[in-house]
Amino acid sequence: MKPFDDGCAANDEFQSTLGGAHRGELIRDLLRQRVRMPEPVPNYLRRPALTEKLTATITPGSTLLLEAPSGFGKTHALSAAFRETSRTPETLRWLGLTGQENDAGRLLALLEIALTPPGATSRPSGQQKASSNTDALALLLSDQHWNTPAGDSVLVIDNVGTVVNPAAIALLQQLVASIPPGLALVMVSRKPLPFETHTFELEGRFNRIGTDSLELTRLETFEFFHTLVNRNQLTTVAVEHLNSLTEGWITPLGLYQRELESTPESRLPIQETFSVERFLRDAVLIHLTPGQQRSLRIMAEMEIVSDELFLALADAGCDHAFRPSAASESGIPLRPLPGRGRWYRLNPLLHDWLQTPALDGSRERALKASRWFSERNQFPEALRYALVSGNLEESVRIASEGSEALLIGQDTASLLRLRRSLPAGLLERSARLKIVYGWVHAIGGQFSQARTLINDLDNGEYPELAGRIDALRAFILRGEGSVDEALAVADRALQAEELSTQGQLVTQLVRSSALCAAGKFCDAREANRIAARLAREAGDAGSEILAVYAHARIELGKGSLKHAEQLLRTGLDTAMNESSRPARVGETRLQLNLVMVLWHQGRQAEADRLLVTCIRHGEQTRDLGLLLAMALRVLICRTQNRMDDAFAWIGRAERTMQSWQVDESVYVPVLEALKISGWLTLGQADTAAQAMERLKQWREVNCVPEMFPMMPGMLQCLQARIELARGDDIKAAETVRNIRDNSGDTLPFGLDIYSRLLESVLSWRQKGPAAAQKMLASTMALAGEEHYISPFAELRGELQELLEKTWPHLPDTPFVEAIGTLYGLTDMKEQAPLAEPISDREQGVLELIAQGLSNQDIADRLHISLHTVKTHARRINAKLEVKSRTQAIVRARELGLL
């Protein structure tokens, strides 16, 4: 029998891991099996961008923390990156931790196994005995193998979040602090490290990759479900919804994919499938105490939540220490809103799942939330939760107190839900409530309903409301596209003495929009300055954001994409600094216009990421900006030659606008124009012409929609494209001239580029390549100043051949390179430009030579002497570096001169 004072338990093989008698060699052999890379996942989606990012940040002498909640594919992404870069097993040590590694001695034993150099053996028993775990680890890291500057070894420690013992955490901290120059360290964890790392980050020795990089992008989600879409088991609309609901959470998507493949005959929503529900339960709830689970479910009752709001709602059954900030730190998919460290939002999939079944007392908590927001003057959130609580009296009180500025920048979906619950006759008896709902319907594009509500207020019974009524009427007129009438009514509203500061602010924004549409950019900017000043004086950050949005729209109209982007990003940064309140619709409009700038500049990947957020928020809040978001999605799909997806988005937009009861004048011209563009891309000019005929009523009144100010000119451009496609060049030329004649000096920059490109195509057809190439080159130079690439993407079918001929003569600039990528010209063999260009007269002679005319025939045709023709022919041969007519024709065609 072992004496009681032996110092070791019977099964304690690790007390003397680095010294003394090794009693647990069998266990050590088992531990060695733990140091290996995970097996590859079948059918793993290749993600080149993520692989590149991972490999770029794994460098000797530094640490990479791969941190994200469960289910984001951290381990598999990392192992796939190593396999795809062909890393050899000799340079990679992968250590997967379990809860047992909370014992510092056991963790040290695993580190010894992992840090034994290739070809070396473990230390003989009793050799190099260390006095402490810290000294033992220092000895391991001091090995010459790991301190070779040219070393390229990697140590991966997976599942770091399981380590909570202070002594074991101290070893991990020492490892990060003392990582040798020949070894790269990668830590994989579902939550932040339990020690400070900012010093190492400042020294450039510590990098972090988080959820944003690991979640699937929208395009990756489509690629992930590509097979199921091809089998018609899923539609593109369903995949779009999956990406929006999961936000690229890869494990639920993967489990759902397997469910669909195993049971194709029955398809449930993703949150109702057995495997996904089991994952959510195991990955999120199973580790929590009952009090923490109740806390998390109460957080899920809010769209977004802060610590302060949670504490106001938490009851006795909650763990009050498990606040949103603590839950986020524990590895729950509860991410802080960008720039708002005090506000958090659950992953939408988890958010929906946690709300079923509903907790007891949810209505009472909703009323508490409403009053909490109301005390902080956060009108839309207060109204939303008042409606959820079912307290009609509270809902009506909040709605009737809403000012114009609060309404125009906020969520109107809640107010529309409230109207259906109002007692009979209440709306008809309250003039103020009629104005509130007039704004609600106008903001939502229901202009006819808005007019109906305020028409009976013009009888003189409410002189104190005259200014507010005119402000609303000006907004309606601007929304309908009546620019001059909107300006006249807005001016009248501003003359009303009783118009509040908020009413003046909104009216100035309407004036700014109308003046911008009229091409009076200086006057529009002045109205915008007044609106911004009024917002600052009122302390209304939401309206100030709208003023930034209006300013950016002015710059967009002028074609100043770079300045517009700067304004939009500054506005978003300013909004993010106001951390005491949730996001507003105005911020979504800023993001939406930033997407427009990015699309105009051909930055589709950035635009695509932002659009996902904009569309989700637009659908939730019933923001009419959703129409613009969906239109941009159509344009991006078409640029990527995904025409089926483009038409699917048009159909989705049409159904949404109809279900929202938006006036047809708001969305029909936009969607029909998108259809026309799509049919032209597919070569269906007759179908496009039929759609254009359906737009006749809107073209005749020449409306300028608020969100689509270039619509009248764009419809004319589409008409010209239809005529070009039908071969009617004369009529197309007349249509293009009308674009300039109708706009005068107020032609928007984007429309100017578009019409110039059409003129280049017409010039090529009517006058030959020389004049067309010069016109195209000058247009590209003009567009290149702002990297304005969208018109080139729109006109790819018309410009392809002309651009191929012009390509060798274009300068080497980033914009030209981007155009070449768009048109697939970057791989074309570049031809050296002529040392001396062909003159216009020589071009004329060259074209006649190519037609087979003799020198005398050319002289007769051009009314010049035979000697002059011969002189031109000699100069042409010299410039082209050829010796005969035949060689000249061949060379000219190679250079795109013919």
Side-chain angles (χ1 to χ4, degrees):
M1 179 182 294
K2 186 176 71 173
F4 76 95
D5 59 349
D6 192 9
C8 300
N11 63 345
D12 191 357
E13 293 89 2
F14 306 103
Q15 182 156 335
S16 55
T17 303
L18 297 182
H22 287 253
R23 302 185 185 91
E25 288 302 326
L26 177 60
I27 301 299
R28 291 178 60 83
D29 288 339
L30 293 175
L31 286 179
R32 287 189 184 94
Q33 302 303 311
R34 297 263 306 279
V35 184
R36 63 177 180 178
M37 191 164 69
E39 293 299 317
V41 176
N43 303 319
Y44 182 78
L45 176 68
R46 291 189 71 255
R47 306 178 66 187
L50 179 57
T51 296
E52 182 180 354
K53 187 170 186 176
L54 286 169
T55 52
T57 50
I58 299 174
T59 56
S62 69
T63 300
L64 168 64
L65 173 63
L66 203 57
E67 177 198 336
S70 294
F72 278 89
K74 304 179 289 295
T75 297
H76 296 306
L78 187 62
S79 61
F82 288 139
R83 287 187 174 91
E84 290 170 19
T85 53
S86 302
R87 177 169 286 277
T88 59
E90 294 77 19
T91 63
L92 177 63
R93 307 298 173 90
W94 192 297
L95 176 57
L97 303 184
T98 66
Q100 294 176 310
E101 277 68 64
N102 273 309
D103 177 82
R106 184 181 177 95
L107 175 60
L108 193 58
L110 284 169
L111 288 173
E112 182 202 5
I113 294 169
L115 291 172
T116 300
T121 57
S122 298
R123 259 172 296 85
S125 176
Q127 203 175 30
Q128 296 183 356
K129 185 171 182 178
S131 60
S132 66
N133 290 335
T134 301
D135 291 345
L137 180 58
L139 284 172
L140 290 172
L141 296 174
S142 66
D143 191 285
Q144 183 61 35
H145 179 80
W146 309 118
N147 287 273
T148 304
D152 187 31
S153 296
V154 178
L155 170 63
V156 178
I157 304 181
D158 201 351
N159 210 14
V160 172
T162 59
V163 178
V164 294
N165 181 286
I169 290 173
L171 286 177
L172 295 177
Q173 186 174 10
Q174 179 187 354
L175 186 60
V176 173
S178 307
I179 192 73
L183 179 67
L185 175 63
V186 181
M187 289 185 165
V188 183
S189 177
R190 65 193 295 262
K191 54 187 178 182
L193 293 178
F195 50 83
E196 294 182 356
T197 59
H198 61 271
T199 301
F200 313 128
E201 292 183 58
L202 291 171
E203 294 172 351
R205 298 193 295 122
F206 188 95
N207 297 291
R208 189 188 314 270
I209 291 179
T211 307
D212 290 344
S213 298
L214 290 165
E215 61 192 14
L216 295 184
T217 66
R218 177 179 169 275
L219 293 178
E220 286 174 335
T221 305
F222 271 90
E223 185 179 351
F224 191 69
F225 288 103
H226 177 72
T227 303
L228 292 174
V229 171
N230 286 345
R231 292 180 193 161
N232 292 322
Q233 286 182 252
L234 279 180
T235 64
T236 56
V237 172
V239 176
E240 195 78 48
H241 173 70
L242 287 170
N243 177 253
S244 178
L245 182 63
T246 64
E247 294 184 337
W249 199 357
I250 191 168
T251 296
L253 290 172
L255 292 171
Y256 190 55
Q257 181 193 56
R258 294 190 65 180
E259 291 255 2
L260 293 177
E261 289 175 344
S262 60
T263 56
E265 65 283 351
S266 59
R267 177 159 72 91
L268 294 171
I270 183 172
Q271 63 269 36
E272 295 180 16
T273 56
F274 173 79
S275 59
V276 173
E277 283 203 83
R278 181 63 182 267
F279 163 75
L280 293 174
R281 190 178 300 111
D282 293 349
V284 178
L285 292 186
I286 201 169
H287 307 290
L288 305 180
T289 66
Q292 291 175 335
Q293 291 185 24
R294 184 170 180 84
S295 295
L296 191 61
R297 289 188 181 277
I298 287 177
M299 294 177 205
E301 292 177 350
M302 303 290 107
E303 288 293 328
I304 57 176
V305 63
S306 66
D307 286 356
E308 187 181 359
L309 175 58
F310 166 74
L311 290 174
L313 303 179
D315 55 26
C318 294
D319 180 347
H320 287 64
F322 195 68
R323 306 171 185 180
S325 56
S328 179
E329 291 285 315
S330 71
I332 301 293
L334 181 72
R335 66 174 67 183
L337 294 178
R340 302 177 190 280
R342 294 173 59 185
W343 287 94
Y344 296 84
R345 179 177 62 79
L346 278 164
N347 177 279
L349 174 65
L350 180 60
H351 180 270
D352 289 358
W353 182 74
L354 286 171
Q355 293 185 81
T356 306
L359 284 180
D360 55 287
S362 59
R363 283 180 173 265
E364 290 77 7
R365 282 190 295 275
L367 185 58
K368 279 185 181 180
S370 174
R371 289 170 178 166
W372 188 90
F373 282 114
S374 187
E375 289 170 3
R376 290 156 180 79
N377 297 317
Q378 295 175 20
F379 163 75
E381 292 79 18
L383 177 60
R384 178 186 304 161
Y385 293 110
L387 288 167
V388 172
S389 73
N391 191 314
L392 184 62
E393 182 180 344
E394 184 78 4
S395 302
V396 172
R397 180 191 66 78
I398 297 169
S400 60
E401 292 178 359
S403 69
E404 290 87 348
L406 283 171
L407 285 164
I408 199 171
Q410 309 299 344
D411 169 15
T412 58
S414 300
L415 283 162
L416 286 171
R417 288 198 300 271
L418 173 60
R419 182 174 182 181
R420 293 191 290 269
S421 308
L422 291 176
L426 177 61
L427 187 59
E428 287 70 21
R429 294 193 302 270
S430 173
R432 290 184 179 275
L433 209 51
K434 281 186 177 181
I435 292 176
V436 167
Y437 273 98
W439 277 105
V440 170
H441 288 298
I443 293 166
Q446 300 171 335
F447 300 119
S448 56
Q449 294 188 51
R451 284 183 181 280
T452 301
L453 280 172
I454 64 171
N455 277 344
D456 60 350
L457 298 180
D458 283 337
N459 52 18
E461 292 184 19
Y462 308 99
E464 74 280 4
L465 299 178
R468 292 187 69 179
I469 294 169
D470 278 338
L472 174 54
R473 184 168 282 111
F475 185 88
I476 292 170
L477 288 166
R478 178 65 196 98
E480 292 175 331
S482 302
V483 173
D484 294 336
E485 288 183 76
L487 284 171
V489 177
D491 290 339
R492 189 172 70 206
L494 290 171
Q495 293 171 8
E497 295 181 1
E498 72 279 1
L499 188 62
S500 66
T501 300
Q502 301 283 5
Q504 294 176 43
L505 191 159
V506 172
T507 307
Q508 289 291 357
L509 289 175
V510 171
R511 289 187 70 248
S512 176
S513 173
L515 289 165
C516 181
K520 300 176 181 179
F521 298 120
C522 292
D523 293 340
R525 183 71 184 98
E526 181 58 32
N528 179 259
R529 287 192 186 96
I530 296 171
R533 176 176 56 78
L534 289 169
R536 286 191 289 270
E537 290 175 356
D540 187 348
S543 295
E544 192 170 353
I545 288 170
L546 287 172
V548 174
Y549 159 74
H551 186 186
R553 294 296 299 272
I554 295 169
E555 298 303 319
L556 273 171
K558 292 160 58 178
S560 302
L561 297 184
K562 295 174 183 176
H563 189 198
E565 180 178 1
Q566 183 183 17
L567 285 170
L568 293 165
R569 291 194 185 278
T570 301
L572 286 169
D573 288 345
T574 303
M576 287 178 180
N577 290 331
E578 193 190 356
S579 58
S580 61
R581 59 153 189 81
R584 291 172 171 164
V585 169
E587 293 164 48
T588 304
R589 292 295 179 93
L590 291 181
Q591 291 179 328
L592 201 47
N593 277 268
L594 181 56
V595 171
M596 190 180 296
V597 171
L598 297 172
W599 176 72
H600 279 314
Q601 294 189 326
R603 295 152 65 182
Q604 292 181 20
E606 295 176 72
D608 192 83
R609 285 194 297 271
L610 268 177
L611 262 186
V612 173
T613 303
C614 293
I615 290 173
R616 180 171 59 245
H617 189 269
E619 290 175 332
Q620 291 172 348
T621 60
R622 203 188 177 284
D623 178 15
L624 195 58
L626 180 65
L627 177 61
L628 177 57
M630 289 182 166
L632 287 167
R633 176 64 77 203
V634 172
L635 295 172
I636 290 175
C637 288
R638 200 196 55 228
T639 303
Q640 297 170 343
N641 293 320
R642 293 168 35 227
M643 297 307 301
D644 288 344
D645 288 348
F647 279 105
W649 273 101
I650 293 173
R652 181 175 172 182
E654 191 168 26
R655 290 189 297 274
T656 302
M657 295 299 108
Q658 289 170 351
S659 67
W660 287 2
Q661 298 179 348
V662 174
D663 287 7
E664 286 191 351
S665 60
V666 175
Y667 69 90
V668 169
V670 176
L671 299 183
E672 288 296 324
L674 291 170
K675 291 177 187 177
I676 292 168
S677 180
W679 282 319
L680 286 170
T681 301
L682 295 173
Q684 300 177 21
D686 291 340
T687 308
Q690 293 170 11
M692 184 63 74
E693 185 63 27
R694 291 195 293 272
L695 288 176
K696 187 176 181 180
Q697 58 175 311
W698 286 287
R699 294 183 66 192
E700 288 175 348
V701 294
N702 196 36
C703 286
V704 186
E706 196 277 330
M707 279 193 296
F708 301 90
M710 289 201 303
M711 180 58 67
M714 288 305 300
L715 289 177
Q716 286 184 293
C717 287
L718 288 171
Q719 180 64 49
R721 291 179 63 189
I722 292 171
E723 290 157 354
L724 279 170
R726 288 177 154 184
D728 195 344
D729 294 358
I730 296 175
K731 201 167 184 179
E734 182 182 352
T735 302
V736 174
R737 279 195 302 272
N738 288 337
I739 295 173
R740 296 193 177 279
D741 294 342
N742 293 340
S743 302
D745 297 330
T746 63
L747 188 65
F749 183 80
L751 202 54
D752 182 29
I753 297 297
Y754 205 114
S755 58
R756 285 172 182 262
L757 292 175
L758 288 174
E759 288 168 352
S760 299
V761 174
L762 287 163
S763 178
W764 177 43
R765 292 188 178 189
Q766 296 173 350
K767 300 178 182 178
Q773 287 172 10
K774 288 182 180 179
M775 186 176 293
L776 179 59
S778 65
T779 304
M780 290 181 69
L782 181 64
E785 295 175 6
E786 295 289 339
H787 208 85
Y788 212 118
I789 204 170
S790 60
F792 295 85
E794 285 278 307
L795 295 169
R796 184 171 176 178
E798 290 86 349
L799 287 172
Q800 182 75 42
E801 190 175 351
L802 173 60
L803 197 56
E804 287 176 1
K805 294 181 178 296
T806 311
W807 180 251
H809 311 290
L810 295 173
D812 186 13
T813 66
F815 182 70
V816 171
E817 184 180 351
I819 294 291
T821 301
L822 177 66
Y823 280 71
L825 302 176
T826 51
D827 295 332
M828 287 180 61
K829 181 181 178 181
E830 294 189 9
Q831 299 287 345
L834 296 176
E836 185 180 354
I838 301 290
S839 68
D840 291 343
R841 174 60 77 178
E842 291 166 349
Q843 179 68 36
V845 171
L846 179 60
E847 291 172 2
L848 294 176
I849 289 173
Q851 294 176 21
L853 274 66
S854 66
N855 287 346
Q856 186 60 57
D857 291 338
I858 294 172
D860 295 342
R861 177 77 64 88
L862 298 178
H863 305 290
I864 57 178
S865 68
L866 179 61
H867 175 73
T868 302
V869 173
K870 291 180 178 179
T871 300
H872 284 319
R874 284 196 301 272
R875 288 177 178 171
I876 289 169
N877 288 351
K879 290 177 179 181
L880 296 177
E881 298 179 348
V882 297
K883 296 181 179 179
S884 69
R885 278 179 163 232
T886 302
Q887 291 175 349
I889 294 170
V890 172
R891 177 63 171 157
R893 284 176 176 158
E894 288 176 351
L895 294 173
L897 297 175
L898 293 173

